[in-house]
Amino acid sequence: MGREMGVEGIREFMDTHAVGFPTDRHGRALPGIPATPENGYKTRRIRCEAERVNHTHTVVLVEGTSDESAINALAERRGRNLAAEGISVVAMGGATNIGTYVGTFGPPGRNLRLAGLYDAGEEGAFRRGLERAGLGSDLNRSDLEALGFFACVADLEDELIRALGTAAVERVVDAEGELRSFRTLQKQPTWRGRSTHDQLRRFMGSGSGRKIRYSGPFVAALELDRVPRPLDGLLTHL
């Protein structure tokens, strides 16, 4: 298990190690890394996450905030407080950032224990990021799970909808006051005649912040013996 890190240690590390960041502590561009607005945004985001990861021995890397919310909600339902256990769930803002975050928190950086949740379509990015950090070679899905990284077949919303069933998901949507909006989507020519499962997936992705807003209610509605496999595997591993 890696070292715990406090805020000061994180600040020092972030200021003095490149790990793919565009500037040093004086704001100078690092060699070979373009000082673009996008890279500047990534730097600020990772610094913010690093400040939040305090007295942590395990960092759980996920693609988005809805994944983070679902993991914490399920942990609570199981009577766990991940932060109190020294476990921080970090949303990376997309799978393509995995290499930078592994470099920051994993063996090349603070050497903390890592775990994660990812969409199966992004498995290549996760595999390459972990391999470059020295966590294995020619990793397959079983190897990734042994490291603590679990794949959702499509995405976490798909997993939760399948675990709940469409009728239960519609009840959650109704409780959130959006059933009428969902019925409108079902009548659209593009989605008319599609399965309710596919319509619900589209609905979750069609509104600003909807995935984040529904992740907690979906987990709250789950029967604890029907938790999606990747979520269950991750919580068991931690």
Side-chain angles (χ1 to χ4, degrees), residues 44-65:
R44 291 190 297 274
R45 182 188 181 95
I46 295 167
R47 283 182 181 275
C48 180
E49 292 292 355
E51 292 281 356
R52 187 169 64 85
V53 177
N54 186 23
H55 302 300
T56 289
H57 58 69
T58 299
V59 173
V60 181
L61 300 174
V62 298
E63 294 185 37
T65 308

Side-chain angles (χ1 to χ4, degrees), residues 19-220:
V19 200
F21 303 151
T23 61
D24 62 16
R25 67 166 68 192
H26 304 295
R28 296 178 301 220
L30 293 169
I33 304 175
T36 64
E38 180 183 5
N39 280 340
Y41 168 76
K42 289 180 180 179
T43 299
R44 291 190 297 274
R45 182 188 181 95
I46 295 167
R47 283 182 181 275
C48 180
E49 292 292 355
E51 292 281 356
R52 187 169 64 85
V53 177
N54 186 23
H55 302 300
T56 289
H57 58 69
T58 299
V59 173
V60 181
L61 300 174
V62 298
E63 294 185 37
T65 308
S66 61
D67 305 313
E68 176 186 354
S69 176
I71 292 166
N72 283 320
L74 180 59
E76 276 190 40
R77 286 203 63 193
R78 290 183 169 180
R80 298 180 62 181
N81 182 330
L82 297 184
E85 295 177 30
I87 300 169
S88 290
V89 184
V90 174
M92 302 182 295
T96 56
N97 294 322
I98 181 67
T100 301
Y101 278 82
V102 170
T104 301
F105 298 118
R110 298 304 295 180
N111 197 27
L112 303 176
R113 181 184 183 221
L114 298 178
L117 192 71
Y118 63 93
D119 299 345
E122 304 292 352
E123 188 164 281
F126 271 69
R127 185 180 66 250
R128 288 188 296 273
L130 294 169
E131 288 175 351
R132 287 169 184 163
L135 291 170
S137 59
D138 298 320
L139 297 173
N140 57 34
R141 187 165 297 182
S142 294
D143 297 327
L144 291 172
E145 289 190 357
L147 289 171
F149 288 81
F150 295 82
C152 298
V153 173
D155 54 29
L156 184 55
E157 288 70 35
D158 173 73
E159 296 279 356
L160 289 169
I161 291 168
R162 283 192 287 112
L164 285 165
T166 57
V169 173
E170 286 195 27
R171 287 194 293 272
V172 174
V173 172
D174 191 18
E176 293 292 315
E178 290 201 299
L179 190 58
R180 185 175 178 179
S181 296
F182 176 58
R183 296 293 183 231
T184 299
L185 179 142
Q186 289 182 300
K187 294 173 185 177
Q188 294 174 0
T190 304
W191 294 98
R192 190 185 305 136
R194 300 283 291 272
S195 71
T196 306
H197 176 96
D198 288 346
Q199 291 169 341
L200 284 165
R201 280 198 65 209
R202 172 56 183 165
F203 184 69
M204 289 303 126
S206 64
S208 177
R210 191 171 273 152
K211 285 186 177 184
I212 299 169
R213 182 152 52 87
Y214 276 91
S215 58
F218 280 174
V219 170

